[in-house]
Amino acid sequence: MATTQGAACNSCRYFDDHKLNGAAASADAGLCRFNPPVSQPDPQGHGLWPVVAGQDWCGHFTAEQTAAE
Ligand code: SF4
């Protein structure tokens, strides 16, 4: 998939690859933490973080910061 300037969720500072929303997500999937969680299903439920694939991207892409930055 073509991306803009190498943008990809798996190299974005808002990508979280450690805590998936559910077992159905692929190994390549992660959570986008750019915005707060959304769509709390019921009062006792938890809000959900959007699940994205590592090669997805969006206009909020921000490269991960390195120690040199
Ligand atoms: S959806 Fe956008 S902000 Fe979220 S991880 Fe992917 S590129 Fe980053």
Side-chain angles (χ1 to χ4, degrees):
M1 178 194 321
T3 60
T4 299
Q5 302 285 329
C9 292
N10 61 12
S11 59
C12 176
R13 68 183 301 182
Y14 300 110
F15 184 70
D16 180 353
D17 62 355
H18 297 295
K19 296 177 181 175
L20 301 179
N21 276 347
S26 74
D28 181 46
L31 305 180
C32 175
R33 296 197 180 271
F34 182 84
N35 288 306
V38 296
S39 301
Q40 184 169 312
D42 57 68
Q44 285 73 42
H46 297 280
L48 302 174
W49 300 92
V51 176
V52 294
Q55 294 305 307
D56 282 341
W57 64 282
C58 84
H60 296 302
F61 171 79
T62 304
E64 287 180 302
Q65 292 182 321
T66 64
E69 293 180 69

